[in-house]
Protein backbone atom coordinates (compact mmCIF):
# COMPACT_ATOMS: atom_id res chain seq x y z
CA UNK A 1 0.00 0.00 0.00
CA UNK A 2 2.83 2.43 0.84
CA UNK A 3 4.51 1.63 -2.49
CA UNK A 4 1.30 2.46 -4.37
CA UNK A 5 0.98 5.73 -2.44
CA UNK A 6 4.62 6.60 -3.19
CA UNK A 7 4.07 5.93 -6.89
CA UNK A 8 0.90 8.07 -6.88
CA UNK A 9 2.92 10.84 -5.20
CA UNK A 10 5.63 10.66 -7.87
CA UNK A 11 3.05 10.87 -10.67
CA UNK A 12 1.26 13.81 -9.00
CA UNK A 13 4.55 15.65 -8.39
CA UNK A 14 5.44 15.31 -12.07
CA UNK A 15 1.97 16.54 -13.08
CA UNK A 16 2.14 19.58 -10.78
CA UNK A 17 5.78 20.54 -11.50
CA UNK A 18 6.00 24.11 -12.73
CA UNK A 19 2.42 24.99 -11.80
CA UNK A 20 1.67 27.62 -9.15
CA UNK A 21 0.44 26.52 -5.74
CA UNK A 22 -3.18 27.59 -5.26
CA UNK A 23 -5.13 28.32 -2.11
CA UNK A 24 -7.48 25.42 -1.41
CA UNK A 25 -5.08 22.88 -2.90
CA UNK A 26 -4.25 19.71 -0.99
CA UNK A 27 -0.53 19.10 -0.51
CA UNK A 28 1.89 16.73 1.18
CA UNK A 29 5.10 18.05 2.70
CA UNK A 30 8.25 15.94 2.69
CA UNK A 31 11.28 16.62 4.87
CA UNK A 32 14.21 17.05 2.47
CA UNK A 33 16.89 15.43 4.65
CA UNK A 34 15.03 12.39 6.00
CA UNK A 35 12.60 11.98 3.06
CA UNK A 36 9.80 11.49 5.62
CA UNK A 37 6.36 13.06 5.38
CA UNK A 38 5.14 15.72 7.79
CA UNK A 39 2.10 14.29 9.56
CA UNK A 40 -0.49 15.98 11.76
CA UNK A 41 -0.65 14.17 15.08
CA UNK A 42 -4.37 14.48 15.81
CA UNK A 43 -4.08 13.08 19.33
CA UNK A 44 -1.51 15.60 20.64
CA UNK A 45 -1.64 19.42 20.82
CA UNK A 46 1.37 21.49 19.80
CA UNK A 47 3.70 22.34 22.69
CA UNK A 48 3.75 26.11 22.06
CA UNK A 49 0.14 26.67 20.97
CA UNK A 50 -2.42 24.21 22.33
CA UNK A 51 -5.02 25.30 19.77
CA UNK A 52 -2.87 23.66 17.05
CA UNK A 53 -1.98 20.03 16.41
CA UNK A 54 1.55 18.77 16.83
CA UNK A 55 3.35 17.41 13.79
CA UNK A 56 5.70 14.46 13.43
CA UNK A 57 7.78 12.92 10.67
CA UNK A 58 6.45 9.65 9.25
CA UNK A 59 8.09 7.37 6.70
CA UNK A 60 4.76 6.24 5.25
CA UNK A 61 2.32 8.67 3.65
CA UNK A 62 -1.25 8.65 4.99
CA UNK A 63 -4.29 10.92 4.99
CA UNK A 64 -2.83 12.63 8.09
CA UNK A 65 0.05 13.79 5.85
CA UNK A 66 -2.30 15.84 3.64
CA UNK A 67 -2.83 19.54 4.29
CA UNK A 68 -5.03 22.17 2.65
CA UNK A 69 -3.30 25.47 1.90
CA UNK A 70 -5.40 28.40 3.11
CA UNK A 71 -4.70 32.15 3.24
CA UNK A 72 -3.89 33.57 6.68
CA UNK A 73 -5.84 36.73 5.85
CA UNK A 74 -8.93 37.31 3.73
CA UNK A 75 -6.99 39.30 1.12
CA UNK A 76 -6.63 36.07 -0.87
CA UNK A 77 -9.28 33.44 -1.55
CA UNK A 78 -9.55 29.83 -2.68
CA UNK A 79 -8.21 29.39 -6.21
CA UNK A 80 -5.79 32.35 -5.99
CA UNK A 81 -2.10 31.61 -6.44
CA UNK A 82 0.05 31.62 -3.31
CA UNK A 83 2.57 34.45 -3.62
CA UNK A 84 5.99 34.98 -2.10
CA UNK A 85 5.66 36.45 1.42
CA UNK A 86 2.00 35.39 1.77
CA UNK A 87 1.21 34.04 5.21
CA UNK A 88 -0.53 30.69 4.93
CA UNK A 89 -2.40 28.27 7.15
CA UNK A 90 -2.01 24.51 6.72
CA UNK A 91 -5.26 22.81 7.67
CA UNK A 92 -5.51 19.08 8.24
CA UNK A 93 -8.75 18.09 6.44
Amino acid sequence: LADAENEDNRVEQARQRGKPLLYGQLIQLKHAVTQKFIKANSSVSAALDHSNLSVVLDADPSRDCVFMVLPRFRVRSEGDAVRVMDQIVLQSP
Side-chain angles (χ1 to χ4, degrees):
L1 186 60
D3 288 336
E5 178 73 17
N6 285 329
E7 181 58 27
D8 288 346
N9 285 343
R10 280 192 285 276
V11 169
E12 184 63 17
Q13 286 173 4
R15 191 176 76 81
Q16 293 293 336
R17 187 164 284 121
K19 294 181 181 178
L21 178 63
L22 304 177
Y23 287 110
Q25 218 168 5
L26 296 176
I27 62 169
Q28 287 182 321
L29 300 172
K30 197 172 195 180
H31 188 258
V33 175
T34 63
Q35 294 298 299
K36 292 182 179 182
F37 291 91
I38 296 175
K39 176 181 176 180
N41 188 351
S42 57
S43 61
V44 179
S45 294
L48 297 178
D49 186 347
H50 297 295
S51 65
N52 292 313
L53 298 176
S54 69
V55 293
V56 294
L57 295 175
D58 195 336
D60 298 319
S62 70
R63 70 180 184 94
D64 292 332
C65 298
V66 175
F67 298 92
M68 181 180 291
V69 180
L70 300 171
R72 170 77 169 86
F73 302 106
R74 295 179 189 227
V75 177
R76 308 263 188 260
S77 59
E78 195 168 318
D80 289 347
V82 177
R83 299 178 185 171
V84 175
M85 301 303 292
D86 276 0
Q87 292 185 30
I88 64 169
V89 172
L90 297 176
Q91 180 180 355
S92 183

